[in-house]
Amino acid sequence: DAMVIQNPRYQVTQFGKPVTLSCSQTLNHNVMYWYQQKSSQAPKLLFHYYDKDFNNEADTPDNFQSRRPNTSFCFLDIRSPGLGDAAMYLCGTYGSDTQYFGPGTRLTVL
Amino acid sequence: KQEVTQIPAALSVPEGENLVLNCSFTDSAIYNLQWFRQDPGKGLTSLLLIQSSQREQTSGRLNASLDKSSGRSTLYIAASQPGDSATYLCAVTGKLTFGTGTRLTIIP
């Protein structure tokens, strides 16, 4: 039973072409996160939400934006992807003192 | 700023061995500590969560311990199997901060 779903699982985009990654959850958790994970590195927090209250980390590039239209859905927009944005993007939720993560979206930038 | 370190970065052990993975953190004011497993190219699977008031948690062949005063946690895997091969990450909250992980390979 998938609880955190990310689409697509693999996304290929061209340098500078905007892309949107999506995440949905069936857990009804107020807290949601977006993480960026580059190869062999720790996941890096980009954004987190408590309900619709939104926080971005101080070092999250301006090129990244996030939207959460309702409790279940959250989107990550990359306005002008660069080669350095190629990574795995992980969506997570928090509830009952536990973090849950989706399978991730692997972004390739050509 | 919380920093989480995992040593070693990679570990290979023969099947059937017991093993310990290490995690250390710099700020002991944590809410909880969680161990995750990540298979290549996949997302994160939660293995064990230890509340800051607890000292250990067990699930099957896995046992995680927490020593807040020394800023350390260990993940003990008993009777390792090839299917245990993966990267293991620890993460601490307040704000969820991950270590870089230990890449574990179990040799059949």
Side-chain angles (χ1 to χ4, degrees), chain B residues 46-84:
Chain B
S46 178
L47 297 173
L48 288 166
L49 179 141
I50 312 177
Q51 299 283 2
S52 62
S53 59
Q54 298 174 321
R55 292 191 67 85
E56 66 179 310
Q57 281 288 337
T58 299
S59 175
R61 294 184 294 109
L62 305 180
N63 176 277
S65 70
L66 174 64
D67 183 343
K68 275 183 56 178
S69 61
S70 67
R72 292 181 182 177
S73 175
T74 61
L75 180 66
Y76 174 83
I77 302 177
S80 59
Q81 302 170 358
D84 295 330

Side-chain angles (χ1 to χ4, degrees), chain A residues 35 37 42 88 94 97 99 103, chain B residues 31 34 38 41 43 49 51 96 99:
Chain A
Y35 283 84
Q37 187 181 25
M88 174 75 87
Y94 177 80
D97 292 332
Q99 283 79 28
Chain B
Y31 186 64
Q34 198 162 354
Q38 186 172 35
L49 179 141
Q51 299 283 2
L96 190 61

Side-chain angles (χ1 to χ4, degrees), chain B residues 85-100:
Chain B
S85 297
T87 296
Y88 291 80
L89 297 106
C90 66
V92 298
T93 55
K95 189 176 290 186
L96 190 61
T97 304
F98 284 88
T100 51

Side-chain angles (χ1 to χ4, degrees), chain A residues 18-81:
Chain A
V19 65
T20 295
L21 310 182
S22 71
C23 177
S24 63
Q25 54 131 337
T26 61
L27 297 160
N28 205 34
H29 288 164
N30 285 328
V31 179
M32 291 187 78
Y33 308 99
W34 279 106
Y35 283 84
Q36 179 193 62
Q37 187 181 25
K38 296 186 178 180
S39 181
S40 301
Q41 295 185 19
K44 175 177 174 289
L45 182 64
L46 296 174
F47 299 102
H48 80 271
Y49 286 89
Y50 183 85
D51 199 5
K52 288 195 173 184
D53 292 333
F54 159 89
N55 288 283
N56 62 307
E57 292 302 287
D59 55 356
T60 299
D62 292 339
N63 196 25
F64 290 81
Q65 304 264 312
S66 183
R67 298 170 281 135
R68 188 178 185 187
N70 54 53
T71 300
S72 300
F73 287 89
C74 194
F75 300 96
L76 180 67
D77 301 307
I78 309 176
R79 293 191 291 187
S80 183

